[in-house]
Amino acid sequence: MSLLCLADFKAQAQKQLSKTSWDFIEGEADDGITYNDNLAAFRRIRLRPRYLRDVSKIDTRTTIQGQEINAPICISPTAFHSIAWADGEKSTAKAAQKANICYVISSYASYTVEDIVAAAPGGLHWFQLYVQPDWDINKQMVQRIEALGFKALVVTVDAPVLGNRRGNKRSLLDLEANIKLKDLRSPGESKSGLPTPLSMPSSSSCWNDLPLLQSMTRLPIILKGILTKEDAELAVKHNIRGIIVSNHGGRQLDEVPASIDALRKVVAAVNGKIEVYMDGGVRTGNDVLKALALGARCIFLGRPIIWGLACKGEDGVKEVLDILKEELHTCMALSGCRSVAEISPDLIQFSRL
């Protein structure tokens, strides 16, 4: 069967994965209100195409933190890729490198950062950091990723405690027992005694900790999980270089705004001072264009990447990225946009539905 859109990959991935794995990937917090609204919110936005424009050449390229990417479609940090495909994050990294887009590698990866970078040494990599209570561990991790050529540090801020994921509670322990986490151990230190990321990050982490983290690195620091104008303003005040507007795919605090709805207020709050990105609910090229029209520099994909990985490994991830890029290309042409720079708020309107 041909897989023509992201929904096709989702259906096929569910057939191929065990219920335990599927429940972990798709698991949402509480009643799943935010999980569902991430998708529904995009349907409340309509496009306003402009015609009689020369769209014979379409350019989907853009830049993030000064690095050029072939499309404003990148990969969010998601955990445990090996539950979907044996080579896990190594296959994901290879696909991202071929697509020339950014891959944010998770702290909860199935392989060490060294193994993942070795699989795709020419790729654009950012690293997601869950700040640990032990700052020696944070410093060690930062030093490792700098040495490996990572281009940014993404600090996830919306998980001081684990969200109430009811569905996962029935199977998560079995999943954890079969995955060996390595990111917070140095190469060869499987018995080092260092805490593993199975324990949650520091619940006391706060804005006052950011200067200490900034003193450890020259890499740009991006905050992932910002949803309000107040926190966006604080990010600018603390010299943060970018924000990923995100509600953790509806897996943390339920009943918060959909990412695409929160995006508008965050973009307005930073007023062009720093780059803003978003993840959550993107399933089509039209969704990508809507996010860019609302001010996102690019979008990040979470679950759809795992669907592609489960279906075809590296090739599946690349197909998911290619499908979304081609859909964006078509949407841009049909909307009268020749380049990403021409995508503006005038291209969308909000439906009353």
Side-chain angles (χ1 to χ4, degrees):
M1 180 185 75
S2 297
L3 302 177
L4 302 178
C5 61
L6 270 57
D8 289 346
F9 273 91
K10 179 179 181 179
Q12 184 63 25
Q14 186 171 10
K15 292 177 183 178
Q16 294 187 199
L17 292 170
S18 69
K19 186 178 185 304
T20 296
S21 295
W22 184 253
D23 286 349
F24 175 76
I25 293 165
E26 292 298 308
E28 72 275 9
D30 295 313
D31 294 320
I33 292 171
T34 296
Y35 170 88
N36 290 312
D37 201 33
N38 272 347
L39 302 170
F42 277 102
R43 308 289 81 79
R44 296 192 289 265
I45 303 173
R46 295 290 182 263
L47 301 174
R48 300 180 65 252
R50 300 297 307 277
Y51 296 124
L52 292 176
R53 293 181 172 182
D54 181 1
V55 290
S56 57
K57 295 181 180 179
I58 302 293
D59 187 358
T60 62
R61 292 176 298 172
T62 190
T63 62
I64 54 173
Q65 298 298 322
Q67 300 285 318
E68 184 174 280
I69 51 177
N70 280 0
I73 301 162
C74 298
I75 300 179
S76 288
T78 51
F80 308 150
H81 286 203
S82 63
I83 69 174
W85 192 261
D87 281 345
E89 291 82 2
K90 294 190 288 185
S91 291
T92 304
K94 290 176 183 178
Q97 178 176 277
K98 287 182 179 178
N100 190 32
I101 53 91
C102 177
Y103 172 26
V104 185
I105 297 172
S106 172
S107 287
Y108 294 77
S110 320
Y111 290 90
T112 65
V113 285
E114 287 79 9
D115 287 341
I116 298 167
V117 170
L124 174 57
H125 303 130
W126 293 0
F127 183 76
Q128 177 218 30
L129 177 70
Y130 281 104
V131 175
Q132 299 294 303
D134 186 337
W135 278 90
D136 286 338
I137 295 176
N138 294 323
K139 185 175 182 180
Q140 178 197 55
M141 196 69 243
V142 168
Q143 291 172 341
R144 284 173 64 193
I145 66 169
E146 284 185 337
L148 289 166
F150 281 72
K151 299 302 182 182
L153 188 64
V154 177
V155 178
T156 294
V157 301
D158 61 0
V161 297
L162 188 66
N164 185 31
R165 305 171 193 177
R166 296 172 186 165
N168 288 353
K169 288 181 178 180
R170 300 181 181 91
S171 56
L172 186 57
L173 290 177
D174 290 337
L175 181 65
E176 290 177 351
N178 288 284
I179 296 177
K180 184 178 180 181
L181 301 177
K182 302 178 181 179
D183 279 325
L184 294 184
R185 304 182 186 94
S186 296
E189 277 192 305
S190 60
K191 296 182 180 180
S192 67
L194 293 176
T196 75
L198 281 176
S199 59
M200 287 300 293
S202 172
S203 60
S204 64
S205 183
C206 62
W207 291 101
N208 291 337
D209 293 325
L210 289 175
L212 177 57
L213 185 60
Q214 289 165 327
S215 72
M216 295 178 177
T217 182
R218 288 179 290 181
L219 294 177
I221 295 177
I222 316 295
L223 299 186
K224 179 178 182 290
I226 299 295
L227 290 172
T228 64
K229 79 177 190 64
E230 293 87 352
D231 280 346
E233 290 167 351
L234 281 170
V236 173
K237 181 179 178 181
H238 284 81
N239 298 314
I240 295 301
R241 295 281 294 277
I243 289 171
I244 302 178
V245 177
S246 172
N247 51 42
H248 220 106
R251 295 165 72 86
Q252 279 298 102
L253 179 61
D254 199 16
E255 302 185 63
V256 300
S259 294
I260 193 67
D261 288 338
L263 176 64
R264 287 181 288 167
K265 294 182 179 180
V266 171
V267 168
V270 305
N271 195 28
K273 295 182 178 71
I274 61 176
E275 292 185 355
V276 179
Y277 324 102
M278 69 83 62
D279 77 1
V282 175
R283 297 294 182 266
T284 68
N286 285 25
D287 293 343
V288 178
L289 187 139
K290 292 172 184 178
L292 269 55
L294 286 171
R297 188 79 181 180
C298 78
I299 66 91
F300 285 85
L301 286 177
R303 292 180 179 95
I305 296 300
I306 305 299
W307 302 339
L309 195 63
C311 291
K312 301 182 181 182
E314 175 189 339
D315 292 341
V317 174
K318 182 63 163 55
E319 283 186 36
V320 164
L321 294 169
D322 287 346
I323 286 170
L324 213 56
K325 180 183 176 184
E326 184 59 34
E327 289 178 350
L328 173 62
H329 185 284
T330 299
C331 186
M332 287 173 63
L334 292 175
S335 298
C337 298
R338 293 165 296 183
S339 68
V340 169
E342 292 185 358
I343 299 174
S344 71
D346 293 339
L347 288 171
I348 60 171
Q349 66 184 31
F350 287 85
S351 170
R352 294 181 180 178
L353 296 178

